[in-house]
Amino acid sequence: MEERSTNKNQYEITGVTAQLFYLMQLFNCLVIMFFTLVTAHAMHGFILEGNAFHLITKCHATIVYWKIPVVAGILYISLLFLLSIECTNHIELIVKLWLEIMIGAGIFYYTGLSYTVMVLLILADIVRNRIDWGKKIMYIILLSCVDLVLNGNVLSRYISPVSVNQIWTYYRSDVAAVFSGAVNIMFLIDVFIFILYMVFLILEQMSEKERIAALYRELSIANKKLAEANKQLEEYTEELVSAAETRERNRFAQEIHDTLGHALTGIVTGIEACIMLMDIAPDATKDQLKAIEEVARQGITDVRQSVKALRPDALERLKLEDALLKIIDETMRSTGITINYNCTTPLLDFSQYEEDAIYRIVQESVTNAIRHGKADVIDIDIGREDGFLNIKIKDNGIGCGKVYKGFGLHHMQERLSLLNGSLKYDGSHGFTIEASIPIRWGNSVEEKED
């Protein structure tokens, strides 16, 4: 199966190289017309002078004079047509080459075996083909052999050519000398054009190779950068996976901490109250234990729900404000402390993550106030101001001189950071927590209220 080139089989010659190639074709056409017309004119002169028999015996030729330029022109047009054909494989190229050689030999014959520069034109066509130089050299050697045969007068032994030297004796010796000198000059010009063509073609091919080499270098650099980018992407992906795993672990720990911490704090505080009431108010102790039981059961439910979906059970069943009121009521019943709740804006149109954050902030703040602050009064204020939902939780506990951010405060900060919110706290007079969350739904609630 013949090898086919993925690109065109000939170089796209442009600029000076293309002009020189077309100039060779045009110049050869002019030379051939000059040869054949001068020869035909001389033969016609012999005939008009009645020396046709002398011409035939002298030149051993029986060609009709007007056929010489006509046939030579047809052959040259055929050669130009072949030169314009672009081959796609070596079989087509070798067939085209042999056809060009045969046409060139025909032109050589009709020019009286005197003009062999056709070989240079065929050679110019061969070197511009996109084939390896090994095959080009083989074709060049073949053309060289053809040129040696044509210039060696080998064909004159087997055919009767139209001898230009004999026919041009029709003209005076000085005119014939001018014609011969013109032919020599034309030959030199044709060779000069061919040399220029080869020089510019080689320079063009060298430039193309340099361009390909530059493109290859650019491609190598691009591949190197792409490999580095892929490596960075892999590292970044690993970091993202690791960060996602860390966030998920922290979130899970936070949910368990919030759920169990709140439930256990209520249970411990309630049991302490039961111990004090057991001897003086047995009935009140029973009511307190029932409240503790409800808190414990709700804690178990929240733990299960947290493990399942990491979302408080109350928020699954209730609206946000109802869930806050429920947890406040359960805390007061189980611990006996007072929680003052004041919300001046509807808690509507929040996303799941925002509801979780608001609920957990209130839950964790209340738990910390009871567990660490030993508070018995907690004030919760929720309001809206300048596009932010503000949550302020203050207790009357023991407070602290220097606040160390523990697990609870740390996770509050994380939740708010994800929502572009902020957290402030102060332990100088009891303990105060202030959380601020941007409201995505703008003025829609205010418009509803109006």
Side-chain angles (χ1 to χ4, degrees):
M1 188 174 183
E2 291 296 324
E3 176 185 338
R4 287 183 175 263
S5 173
T6 56
N7 299 318
K8 287 185 176 180
N9 212 43
Q10 289 181 315
Y11 287 108
E12 295 293 337
I13 56 174
T14 57
V16 178
T17 309
Q19 294 174 6
L20 290 172
F21 186 68
Y22 297 136
L23 180 60
M24 287 181 64
Q25 298 178 41
L26 176 61
F27 190 77
N28 276 276
C29 178
L30 295 176
V31 174
I32 291 171
M33 290 298 100
F34 174 79
F35 254 104
T36 55
L37 288 175
V38 170
T39 303
H41 178 265
M43 293 178 68
H44 183 58
F46 275 116
I47 294 172
L48 291 178
E49 293 178 357
N51 295 323
F53 179 77
H54 174 71
L55 174 66
I56 294 173
T57 57
K58 190 174 184 179
C59 300
H60 305 286
T62 59
I63 300 177
V64 180
Y65 72 91
W66 60 266
K67 289 184 179 181
I68 294 177
V70 173
V71 176
I74 293 173
L75 289 173
Y76 191 72
I77 291 173
S78 302
L79 179 62
L80 293 179
F81 173 74
L82 287 174
L83 292 175
S84 66
I85 295 176
E86 296 180 354
C87 300
T88 57
N89 56 56
H90 294 299
I91 292 179
E92 294 178 1
L93 184 60
I94 195 66
V95 171
K96 173 186 172 182
L97 176 61
W98 278 111
L99 289 175
E100 290 175 346
I101 290 174
M102 287 188 290
I103 291 175
I107 295 173
F108 178 68
Y109 174 78
Y110 278 92
T111 56
L113 306 185
S114 300
Y115 190 71
T116 61
V117 187
M118 289 292 102
V119 175
L120 296 181
L121 188 58
I122 298 172
L123 181 60
D125 181 47
I126 291 298
V127 295
R128 71 192 183 108
N129 277 269
R130 290 185 180 274
I131 57 176
D132 59 86
W133 273 101
K135 292 184 174 61
K136 282 184 181 180
I137 292 174
M138 180 183 68
Y139 296 148
I140 292 172
I141 293 174
L142 175 62
L143 284 173
S144 300
C145 294
V146 171
D147 186 62
L148 289 175
V149 170
L150 295 179
N151 285 313
N153 294 323
V154 177
L155 295 178
S156 60
R157 300 176 184 177
Y158 305 100
I159 59 177
S160 298
V162 179
S163 176
V164 172
N165 293 329
Q166 295 291 336
I167 294 176
W168 284 10
T169 57
Y170 169 77
Y171 302 105
R172 296 197 315 267
S173 59
D174 57 338
V175 175
V178 170
F179 286 163
S180 298
V183 170
N184 292 330
I185 293 174
M186 290 177 183
F187 176 80
L188 293 175
I189 293 175
D190 208 346
V191 172
F192 179 72
I193 296 173
F194 175 77
I195 292 173
L196 285 180
Y197 170 82
M198 291 298 298
V199 170
F200 280 99
L201 183 65
I202 292 172
L203 290 176
E204 184 178 278
Q205 294 182 9
M206 289 175 62
S207 176
E208 183 179 3
K209 290 180 180 179
E210 291 176 359
R211 182 177 62 84
I212 293 174
L215 290 175
Y216 178 77
R217 288 193 296 270
E218 292 177 3
L219 181 61
S220 299
I221 294 173
N223 286 336
K224 185 177 180 180
K225 291 181 178 179
L226 181 60
E228 293 176 355
N230 286 336
K231 184 178 179 181
Q232 292 177 357
L233 181 61
E234 291 176 358
E235 293 175 354
Y236 180 66
T237 303
E238 291 177 359
E239 291 177 0
L240 285 180
V241 172
S242 177
E245 292 175 350
T246 301
R247 285 197 300 270
E248 196 63 24
R249 285 196 300 268
N250 290 340
R251 186 183 174 200
F252 185 75
Q254 180 180 343
E255 294 292 337
I256 297 300
H257 168 268
D258 292 343
T259 302
L260 285 179
H262 177 77
L264 293 176
T265 299
I267 291 171
V268 171
T269 305
I271 291 175
E272 290 175 350
C274 288
I275 292 174
M276 291 186 293
L277 294 174
M278 186 177 297
D279 295 331
I280 59 176
D283 293 336
T285 302
K286 289 181 180 180
D287 293 337
Q288 189 75 18
L289 289 173
K290 289 180 180 179
I292 293 171
E293 180 186 11
E294 291 181 8
V295 172
R297 291 184 183 278
Q298 184 61 46
I300 293 173
T301 302
D302 284 344
V303 169
R304 288 174 178 171
Q305 186 67 23
S306 296
V307 172
K308 180 180 179 182
L310 298 179
R311 181 167 169 82
D313 179 65
L315 290 179
E316 289 289 340
R317 297 182 288 106
L318 304 172
K319 293 181 179 179
L320 175 59
E321 189 162 15
D322 294 335
L324 292 176
L325 292 173
K326 182 176 183 296
I327 192 175
I328 290 170
D329 180 66
E330 290 177 348
T331 302
M332 289 194 297
R333 289 175 58 199
S334 62
T335 61
I337 67 173
T338 300
I339 300 178
N340 300 314
Y341 175 76
N342 179 37
C343 182
T344 60
T345 182
L347 301 179
L348 302 173
D349 299 321
F350 287 104
S351 68
Q352 175 180 319
Y353 298 107
E354 292 168 335
E355 288 186 350
D356 289 351
I358 295 169
Y359 183 87
R360 292 304 191 190
I361 289 170
V362 173
Q363 183 187 53
E364 179 64 21
S365 299
V366 171
T367 300
N368 287 342
I370 298 172
R371 180 191 300 171
H372 303 298
K374 309 300 180 183
D376 56 13
V377 177
I378 302 174
D379 295 320
I380 301 176
D381 293 299
I382 302 177
R384 181 183 183 277
E385 183 179 1
D386 297 331
F388 285 86
L389 183 72
N390 299 317
I391 305 172
K392 182 177 180 180
I393 303 172
K394 179 176 177 57
D395 63 61
N396 64 346
I398 60 176
C400 58
K402 186 175 182 180
V403 180
Y404 293 95
K405 190 162 63 174
F407 199 76
L409 288 176
H410 177 75
H411 282 285
M412 281 190 206
Q413 184 70 62
E414 282 190 348
R415 289 180 185 277
L416 290 170
S417 296
L418 293 174
L419 300 174
N420 295 321
S422 61
L423 178 69
K424 297 179 181 178
Y425 41 83
D426 179 30
S428 57
H429 301 285
F431 200 87
T432 303
I433 290 179
E434 296 182 13
S436 181
I437 302 173
I439 298 176
R440 295 176 296 104
W441 29 263
N443 298 323
S444 61
V445 172
E446 289 185 344
E447 293 173 357
K448 292 176 184 177
E449 291 175 347
D450 294 340

